[in-house]
Amino acid sequence: MRKKIVAGNWKMNKVFQDAEELLYDLSEQIEDGQKSSKVEVIVCPPCLYMEMALDLSRNEEDERLFGVGAQDVSEHAQGAYTGEISADMLSSMGVEYCIVGHSERRKYFGETDEQVARKVERLLEEDVTPIVCVGESLEDREAGRHFDLIRSQVEKGLFGFKQLDFVKIIIAYEPIWAIGTGKTATPEQAQEVHAFIRKVVEEKYGKEVARNLSILYGGSCNAKNAAELFAQDDVDGGLIGGASLKAEDFVTIINSFK
Ligand code: PGA
C-alpha cells in the first residue's frame, strides 16, 4: 500500500546521552498528538541504540509511536563476518525497517547494486522492510545520465524479485549532490525523477504495483522545504538526514503533508 512516510537517518551522529534525549523528545512530541496518524514515522539510529529506540517507540499503553529502522544490514545470513549485523538479528529485536544502498555506503564502502539486491533479499526473508536508496551524482546529472543510472540501479537492485516481494519495498530517491549540501532538488526535479521511477516499475510489475509504491525524497529536505516537496504527486515523503537530528525540525517535517 502506498503510504506517506517520513524516515530519519541519523547516520553516525549522537553519543548515547544525546541519542537518549532526542528519542525522548521525539516520543514525547509524537505522543502529544503532534503527528498525523496518516504518516508512518521511522527512526533509523545507529544500531547500538536500537534497543533504546525500540523502548521509546512505544508509549506506556504500549501503542507504537514510530517504527525503528537500521541504516544497513549484512548481505550474509549469519556467520564469521566480524562487525556485521544480520537481518535476522534486526527482526529478532523488533526492527521493522532497514535502509539499503545509501549513497554513502555505495561511495565509501564500495557497495554495488548486486550487494543491494542480496541485502534486500536477506531483509525480505526476515520480514524487515527495505528502504532502498538510488540517486545520481552531480557529474551524472550534468552529463544527462541520471535517468539511465537510476533505471539501472532500480533494475539491478530490485528487479530480481517476484512481485509479491517487490511490493514490500520502499524506494528513496536521493540525488547525491543534494545530500548534506543544503542544495535541495527543486520540487519539479524531485517529481520528474519520482515519476520516472514509477514508470520504470510499471514497465516491469504493472500499473497497480507502481501506483502503490512509496517513493521518498532525500537530500537536504528540511522543515522549510518539506511541504513543497511532499505536495508533488509522486513524492510520498522523505528520508531525512541532518534535519532528523533535532526533534522540532523532524516533527515539523512529519507534519508537512497537506
Ligand atoms: P540530508 O541526508 O538530509 O542530511 O541531506 C539525507 C540522507 O542522506 O539520507
Side-chain angles (χ1 to χ4, degrees), residues 8-31 41-46 49 52-53 56-57 65-66 71 240-252 254:
N9 174 13
W10 289 15
K11 309 191 181 182
M12 197 174 72
N13 289 296
K14 305 270 176 198
V15 295
F16 177 77
Q17 292 76 5
D18 297 341
E20 188 176 35
E21 193 181 320
L22 176 53
L23 286 166
Y24 264 107
D25 286 352
L26 271 178
S27 48
E28 214 169 76
Q29 294 191 23
I30 292 173
E31 169 80 338
V41 177
I42 305 166
V43 176
C44 305
Y49 308 144
M52 175 166 64
L56 290 169
S57 71
L65 303 169
F66 53 85
Q71 298 175 14
I240 318 298
S244 71
L245 298 173
K246 267 200 196 148
E248 303 73 52
D249 286 357
F250 193 54
V251 169
T252 304
I254 294 165

Short mmCIF file of all heavy atoms in Angstrom, two decimals, residues 8-31 41-46 49 52-53 56-57 65-66 71 240-252 254:
data_model
loop_
_atom_site.label_atom_id
_atom_site.label_comp_id
_atom_site.label_asym_id
_atom_site.label_seq_id
_atom_site.Cartn_x
_atom_site.Cartn_y
_atom_site.Cartn_z
N GLY A 8 13.86 9.14 9.46
CA GLY A 8 15.05 9.89 9.87
C GLY A 8 16.27 9.00 9.85
O GLY A 8 16.28 7.95 10.48
N ASN A 9 17.28 9.41 9.09
CA ASN A 9 18.53 8.67 9.01
C ASN A 9 19.57 9.44 9.82
O ASN A 9 20.10 10.44 9.37
CB ASN A 9 18.95 8.56 7.53
CG ASN A 9 20.31 7.94 7.35
OD1 ASN A 9 20.88 7.37 8.29
ND2 ASN A 9 20.85 8.05 6.14
N TRP A 10 19.84 8.94 11.03
CA TRP A 10 20.76 9.67 11.92
C TRP A 10 22.21 9.56 11.46
O TRP A 10 23.06 10.31 11.93
CB TRP A 10 20.66 9.12 13.34
CG TRP A 10 19.40 9.43 14.06
CD1 TRP A 10 18.22 9.90 13.55
CD2 TRP A 10 19.20 9.29 15.47
NE1 TRP A 10 17.29 10.05 14.55
CE2 TRP A 10 17.86 9.68 15.74
CE3 TRP A 10 19.98 8.87 16.54
CZ2 TRP A 10 17.32 9.66 17.03
CZ3 TRP A 10 19.46 8.84 17.81
CH2 TRP A 10 18.14 9.24 18.05
N LYS A 11 22.50 8.58 10.60
CA LYS A 11 23.89 8.32 10.19
C LYS A 11 24.75 8.11 11.44
O LYS A 11 24.26 7.60 12.44
CB LYS A 11 24.41 9.46 9.30
CG LYS A 11 23.45 9.75 8.16
CD LYS A 11 24.01 10.66 7.12
CE LYS A 11 22.95 10.90 6.04
NZ LYS A 11 23.43 11.75 4.96
N MET A 12 26.03 8.50 11.41
CA MET A 12 26.90 8.25 12.56
C MET A 12 26.98 9.49 13.44
O MET A 12 28.01 10.14 13.56
CB MET A 12 28.30 7.83 12.07
CG MET A 12 29.13 7.17 13.16
SD MET A 12 30.70 6.53 12.55
CE MET A 12 31.62 8.03 12.25
N ASN A 13 25.82 9.82 14.03
CA ASN A 13 25.74 11.01 14.88
C ASN A 13 25.12 10.66 16.23
O ASN A 13 24.36 9.70 16.32
CB ASN A 13 24.85 12.08 14.20
CG ASN A 13 25.54 12.68 12.99
OD1 ASN A 13 26.57 13.32 13.11
ND2 ASN A 13 24.99 12.42 11.81
N LYS A 14 25.45 11.44 17.24
CA LYS A 14 24.90 11.38 18.60
C LYS A 14 25.58 10.33 19.49
O LYS A 14 25.52 9.13 19.20
CB LYS A 14 23.39 11.07 18.59
CG LYS A 14 22.55 12.01 17.75
CD LYS A 14 22.08 13.18 18.56
CE LYS A 14 21.32 14.17 17.70
NZ LYS A 14 21.22 15.49 18.33
N VAL A 15 26.18 10.81 20.58
CA VAL A 15 26.63 9.88 21.62
C VAL A 15 25.40 9.47 22.42
O VAL A 15 24.31 10.04 22.26
CB VAL A 15 27.70 10.52 22.54
CG1 VAL A 15 28.96 10.82 21.74
CG2 VAL A 15 27.17 11.76 23.24
N PHE A 16 25.57 8.46 23.27
CA PHE A 16 24.43 7.84 23.94
C PHE A 16 23.47 8.85 24.60
O PHE A 16 22.27 8.80 24.37
CB PHE A 16 24.95 6.83 24.99
CG PHE A 16 23.86 6.19 25.78
CD1 PHE A 16 23.09 5.18 25.24
CD2 PHE A 16 23.58 6.64 27.07
CE1 PHE A 16 22.06 4.61 25.96
CE2 PHE A 16 22.55 6.07 27.80
CZ PHE A 16 21.79 5.05 27.24
N GLN A 17 24.03 9.76 25.39
CA GLN A 17 23.16 10.69 26.15
C GLN A 17 22.36 11.59 25.20
O GLN A 17 21.19 11.89 25.47
CB GLN A 17 24.01 11.57 27.09
CG GLN A 17 24.66 10.82 28.24
CD GLN A 17 25.90 10.00 27.82
OE1 GLN A 17 26.34 10.06 26.67
NE2 GLN A 17 26.43 9.25 28.76
N ASP A 18 22.97 12.01 24.11
CA ASP A 18 22.26 12.87 23.15
C ASP A 18 21.21 12.08 22.37
O ASP A 18 20.14 12.59 22.04
CB ASP A 18 23.26 13.50 22.16
CG ASP A 18 24.25 14.41 22.88
OD1 ASP A 18 23.96 14.82 24.01
OD2 ASP A 18 25.32 14.69 22.30
N ALA A 19 21.54 10.82 22.09
CA ALA A 19 20.58 9.96 21.39
C ALA A 19 19.36 9.73 22.27
O ALA A 19 18.21 9.80 21.82
CB ALA A 19 21.24 8.62 21.04
N GLU A 20 19.62 9.52 23.56
CA GLU A 20 18.54 9.30 24.52
C GLU A 20 17.63 10.52 24.59
O GLU A 20 16.40 10.41 24.53
CB GLU A 20 19.17 9.01 25.89
CG GLU A 20 18.19 8.58 26.95
CD GLU A 20 18.90 8.22 28.24
OE1 GLU A 20 19.93 8.87 28.58
OE2 GLU A 20 18.43 7.30 28.92
N GLU A 21 18.24 11.69 24.65
CA GLU A 21 17.47 12.94 24.73
C GLU A 21 16.60 13.12 23.47
O GLU A 21 15.42 13.45 23.56
CB GLU A 21 18.45 14.11 24.88
CG GLU A 21 17.78 15.41 25.27
CD GLU A 21 18.81 16.53 25.38
OE1 GLU A 21 19.92 16.30 25.89
OE2 GLU A 21 18.47 17.65 24.93
N LEU A 22 17.19 12.88 22.32
CA LEU A 22 16.45 13.06 21.06
C LEU A 22 15.28 12.06 20.99
O LEU A 22 14.16 12.42 20.60
CB LEU A 22 17.39 12.89 19.87
CG LEU A 22 16.77 12.94 18.47
CD1 LEU A 22 15.93 14.19 18.26
CD2 LEU A 22 17.87 12.87 17.39
N LEU A 23 15.54 10.82 21.38
CA LEU A 23 14.46 9.82 21.33
C LEU A 23 13.34 10.17 22.31
O LEU A 23 12.16 10.03 21.98
CB LEU A 23 15.03 8.42 21.64
CG LEU A 23 15.85 7.81 20.51
CD1 LEU A 23 16.65 6.61 21.01
CD2 LEU A 23 14.95 7.39 19.35
N TYR A 24 13.71 10.65 23.52
CA TYR A 24 12.70 11.09 24.49
C TYR A 24 11.87 12.23 23.91
O TYR A 24 10.64 12.22 23.95
CB TYR A 24 13.35 11.55 25.80
CG TYR A 24 13.37 10.46 26.84
CD1 TYR A 24 14.56 9.82 27.17
CD2 TYR A 24 12.20 10.06 27.49
CE1 TYR A 24 14.60 8.80 28.12
CE2 TYR A 24 12.22 9.04 28.44
CZ TYR A 24 13.42 8.42 28.74
OH TYR A 24 13.44 7.42 29.67
N ASP A 25 12.56 13.23 23.36
CA ASP A 25 11.86 14.40 22.79
C ASP A 25 10.91 13.98 21.68
O ASP A 25 9.77 14.43 21.61
CB ASP A 25 12.87 15.40 22.22
CG ASP A 25 13.60 16.15 23.32
OD1 ASP A 25 13.21 15.98 24.49
OD2 ASP A 25 14.57 16.87 23.00
N LEU A 26 11.41 13.08 20.83
CA LEU A 26 10.57 12.63 19.70
C LEU A 26 9.34 11.90 20.19
O LEU A 26 8.21 12.18 19.76
CB LEU A 26 11.37 11.66 18.83
CG LEU A 26 12.19 12.23 17.70
CD1 LEU A 26 12.93 11.11 16.99
CD2 LEU A 26 11.28 12.97 16.72
N SER A 27 9.54 10.94 21.12
CA SER A 27 8.37 10.17 21.54
C SER A 27 7.39 11.07 22.28
O SER A 27 6.18 10.93 22.12
CB SER A 27 8.74 8.92 22.34
OG SER A 27 9.64 9.22 23.32
N GLU A 28 7.91 12.04 23.03
CA GLU A 28 7.03 12.95 23.75
C GLU A 28 6.21 13.80 22.76
O GLU A 28 4.99 13.92 22.90
CB GLU A 28 7.89 13.87 24.60
CG GLU A 28 7.25 14.27 25.91
CD GLU A 28 8.29 14.95 26.78
OE1 GLU A 28 8.61 16.14 26.51
OE2 GLU A 28 8.80 14.29 27.68
N GLN A 29 6.87 14.34 21.76
CA GLN A 29 6.17 15.21 20.81
C GLN A 29 5.19 14.42 19.95
O GLN A 29 4.12 14.92 19.62
CB GLN A 29 7.18 15.96 19.94
CG GLN A 29 8.00 16.93 20.77
CD GLN A 29 8.84 17.87 19.91
OE1 GLN A 29 8.54 18.13 18.76
NE2 GLN A 29 9.89 18.40 20.49
N ILE A 30 5.54 13.21 19.62
CA ILE A 30 4.61 12.40 18.82
C ILE A 30 3.44 11.95 19.71
O ILE A 30 2.29 12.00 19.30
CB ILE A 30 5.35 11.21 18.18
CG1 ILE A 30 6.34 11.74 17.13
CG2 ILE A 30 4.37 10.23 17.54
CD1 ILE A 30 7.26 10.71 16.53
N GLU A 31 3.74 11.59 20.94
CA GLU A 31 2.72 11.19 21.91
C GLU A 31 1.72 12.33 22.15
O GLU A 31 0.53 12.11 22.28
CB GLU A 31 3.41 10.76 23.22
CG GLU A 31 2.52 10.56 24.42
CD GLU A 31 1.81 9.23 24.42
OE1 GLU A 31 1.67 8.64 23.33
OE2 GLU A 31 1.39 8.79 25.48
N VAL A 41 6.04 7.20 10.68
CA VAL A 41 7.32 7.80 11.06
C VAL A 41 8.31 6.68 11.37
O VAL A 41 7.97 5.71 12.06
CB VAL A 41 7.16 8.72 12.30
CG1 VAL A 41 8.51 9.28 12.73
CG2 VAL A 41 6.18 9.84 12.01
N ILE A 42 9.51 6.82 10.84
CA ILE A 42 10.55 5.81 11.06
C ILE A 42 11.80 6.50 11.56
O ILE A 42 12.20 7.54 11.03
CB ILE A 42 10.86 5.05 9.74
CG1 ILE A 42 9.59 4.45 9.14
CG2 ILE A 42 11.92 3.97 9.98
CD1 ILE A 42 9.75 3.98 7.70
N VAL A 43 12.42 5.94 12.60
CA VAL A 43 13.67 6.49 13.10
C VAL A 43 14.77 5.45 12.91
O VAL A 43 14.62 4.29 13.31
CB VAL A 43 13.53 6.85 14.61
CG1 VAL A 43 14.85 7.35 15.17
CG2 VAL A 43 12.44 7.90 14.80
N CYS A 44 15.85 5.85 12.24
CA CYS A 44 16.97 4.93 11.98
C CYS A 44 18.22 5.41 12.70
O CYS A 44 19.05 6.14 12.13
CB CYS A 44 17.26 4.83 10.48
SG CYS A 44 15.82 4.36 9.50
N PRO A 45 18.38 5.03 13.97
CA PRO A 45 19.55 5.44 14.74
C PRO A 45 20.71 4.46 14.48
O PRO A 45 20.50 3.43 13.84
CB PRO A 45 19.08 5.31 16.19
CG PRO A 45 18.07 4.22 16.16
CD PRO A 45 17.47 4.18 14.77
N PRO A 46 21.91 4.75 14.97
CA PRO A 46 22.96 3.73 14.91
C PRO A 46 22.49 2.47 15.65
O PRO A 46 21.73 2.56 16.62
CB PRO A 46 24.11 4.40 15.68
CG PRO A 46 23.86 5.87 15.51
CD PRO A 46 22.36 6.01 15.55
N TYR A 49 21.97 1.85 19.48
CA TYR A 49 20.87 2.46 20.23
C TYR A 49 19.51 1.85 19.90
O TYR A 49 18.46 2.39 20.24
CB TYR A 49 20.81 3.97 19.97
CG TYR A 49 22.11 4.70 20.17
CD1 TYR A 49 22.47 5.76 19.35
CD2 TYR A 49 22.99 4.33 21.18
CE1 TYR A 49 23.66 6.44 19.53
CE2 TYR A 49 24.20 5.00 21.37
CZ TYR A 49 24.53 6.05 20.54
OH TYR A 49 25.71 6.72 20.71
N MET A 52 17.12 0.94 22.88
CA MET A 52 16.56 2.15 23.49
C MET A 52 15.49 2.76 22.56
O MET A 52 14.42 3.17 23.00
CB MET A 52 17.69 3.15 23.73
CG MET A 52 17.23 4.48 24.24
SD MET A 52 18.59 5.47 24.87
CE MET A 52 19.59 5.76 23.41
N ALA A 53 15.80 2.80 21.26
CA ALA A 53 14.83 3.37 20.31
C ALA A 53 13.54 2.54 20.30
O ALA A 53 12.44 3.10 20.28
CB ALA A 53 15.45 3.41 18.92
N LEU A 56 11.53 3.34 23.42
CA LEU A 56 10.90 4.66 23.40
C LEU A 56 9.94 4.83 22.22
O LEU A 56 9.26 5.84 22.12
CB LEU A 56 11.97 5.74 23.39
CG LEU A 56 12.73 5.85 24.72
CD1 LEU A 56 13.95 6.74 24.60
CD2 LEU A 56 11.80 6.39 25.81
N SER A 57 9.88 3.82 21.34
CA SER A 57 8.96 3.92 20.21
C SER A 57 7.54 3.55 20.63
O SER A 57 6.60 3.67 19.84
CB SER A 57 9.42 3.01 19.07
OG SER A 57 9.22 1.65 19.40
N LEU A 65 4.52 4.53 18.61
CA LEU A 65 4.58 5.94 18.21
C LEU A 65 5.33 6.11 16.90
O LEU A 65 5.02 6.97 16.10
CB LEU A 65 5.28 6.76 19.30
CG LEU A 65 4.64 6.68 20.68
CD1 LEU A 65 5.56 7.31 21.72
CD2 LEU A 65 3.29 7.37 20.69
N PHE A 66 6.37 5.29 16.70
CA PHE A 66 7.11 5.32 15.44
C PHE A 66 7.76 3.96 15.21
O PHE A 66 7.90 3.16 16.13
CB PHE A 66 8.17 6.45 15.43
CG PHE A 66 9.12 6.46 16.60
CD1 PHE A 66 10.26 5.68 16.60
CD2 PHE A 66 8.89 7.29 17.71
CE1 PHE A 66 11.15 5.70 17.67
CE2 PHE A 66 9.76 7.31 18.79
CZ PHE A 66 10.90 6.51 18.76
N GLN A 71 20.36 1.25 9.56
CA GLN A 71 20.92 2.03 8.45
C GLN A 71 21.60 1.15 7.40
O GLN A 71 21.96 1.61 6.33
CB GLN A 71 21.94 3.03 8.98
CG GLN A 71 21.33 4.04 9.94
CD GLN A 71 22.40 4.94 10.56
OE1 GLN A 71 23.53 4.99 10.10
NE2 GLN A 71 22.02 5.66 11.60
N ILE A 240 15.23 11.69 5.76
CA ILE A 240 15.79 12.94 6.27
C ILE A 240 17.08 12.67 7.04
O ILE A 240 17.07 11.89 8.00
CB ILE A 240 14.78 13.61 7.25
CG1 ILE A 240 13.32 13.54 6.72
CG2 ILE A 240 15.19 15.04 7.57
CD1 ILE A 240 13.07 14.24 5.43
N GLY A 241 18.16 13.33 6.67
CA GLY A 241 19.42 13.18 7.39
C GLY A 241 19.55 14.24 8.47
O GLY A 241 18.96 14.14 9.55
N GLY A 242 20.30 15.30 8.16
CA GLY A 242 20.60 16.35 9.13
C GLY A 242 19.39 16.86 9.92
O GLY A 242 19.46 17.01 11.15
N ALA A 243 18.28 17.09 9.24
CA ALA A 243 17.11 17.67 9.91
C ALA A 243 16.37 16.65 10.79
O ALA A 243 15.41 17.01 11.47
CB ALA A 243 16.15 18.27 8.88
N SER A 244 16.82 15.40 10.81
CA SER A 244 16.17 14.43 11.71
C SER A 244 16.88 14.42 13.07
O SER A 244 16.48 13.71 13.99
CB SER A 244 16.18 13.02 11.11
OG SER A 244 17.49 12.47 11.12
N LEU A 245 17.93 15.22 13.21
CA LEU A 245 18.71 15.21 14.45
C LEU A 245 18.19 16.20 15.47
O LEU A 245 18.72 16.31 16.58
CB LEU A 245 20.19 15.50 14.14
CG LEU A 245 20.88 14.47 13.22
CD1 LEU A 245 22.27 14.94 12.83
CD2 LEU A 245 20.95 13.10 13.90
N LYS A 246 17.15 16.96 15.09
CA LYS A 246 16.50 17.89 16.03
C LYS A 246 15.03 17.54 16.05
O LYS A 246 14.36 17.57 15.00
CB LYS A 246 16.64 19.32 15.51
CG LYS A 246 17.82 20.05 16.03
CD LYS A 246 17.57 21.54 15.87
CE LYS A 246 18.85 22.32 16.01
NZ LYS A 246 18.82 23.52 15.18
N ALA A 247 14.50 17.24 17.24
CA ALA A 247 13.12 16.76 17.34
C ALA A 247 12.13 17.75 16.70
O ALA A 247 11.24 17.34 15.94
CB ALA A 247 12.75 16.49 18.80
N GLU A 248 12.28 19.05 16.98
CA GLU A 248 11.29 20.03 16.48
C GLU A 248 11.29 20.04 14.95
O GLU A 248 10.22 20.09 14.33
CB GLU A 248 11.58 21.46 16.96
CG GLU A 248 11.66 21.67 18.45
CD GLU A 248 12.93 21.10 19.05
OE1 GLU A 248 14.02 21.44 18.55
OE2 GLU A 248 12.84 20.30 20.01
N ASP A 249 12.47 20.03 14.36
CA ASP A 249 12.55 20.05 12.90
C ASP A 249 11.93 18.79 12.31
O ASP A 249 11.17 18.84 11.34
CB ASP A 249 14.02 20.14 12.42
CG ASP A 249 14.60 21.52 12.66
OD1 ASP A 249 13.84 22.40 13.13
OD2 ASP A 249 15.78 21.73 12.38
N PHE A 250 12.27 17.66 12.91
CA PHE A 250 11.77 16.39 12.38
C PHE A 250 10.24 16.34 12.48
O PHE A 250 9.56 15.93 11.54
CB PHE A 250 12.42 15.23 13.14
CG PHE A 250 12.22 13.88 12.50
CD1 PHE A 250 12.58 13.67 11.17
CD2 PHE A 250 11.69 12.81 13.21
CE1 PHE A 250 12.40 12.43 10.57
CE2 PHE A 250 11.53 11.57 12.63
CZ PHE A 250 11.87 11.37 11.31
N VAL A 251 9.70 16.80 13.61
CA VAL A 251 8.24 16.79 13.78
C VAL A 251 7.58 17.77 12.81
O VAL A 251 6.52 17.50 12.25
CB VAL A 251 7.86 17.07 15.26
CG1 VAL A 251 6.38 17.32 15.42
CG2 VAL A 251 8.30 15.91 16.14
N THR A 252 8.23 18.91 12.56
CA THR A 252 7.69 19.84 11.55
C THR A 252 7.63 19.16 10.19
O THR A 252 6.64 19.29 9.45
CB THR A 252 8.57 21.11 11.46
OG1 THR A 252 8.65 21.69 12.74
CG2 THR A 252 8.00 22.12 10.47
N ILE A 254 7.40 15.94 9.61
CA ILE A 254 6.34 14.91 9.67
C ILE A 254 4.97 15.56 9.41
O ILE A 254 4.10 14.97 8.76
CB ILE A 254 6.34 14.24 11.08
CG1 ILE A 254 7.61 13.44 11.29
CG2 ILE A 254 5.10 13.35 11.24
CD1 ILE A 254 7.87 13.05 12.73
#
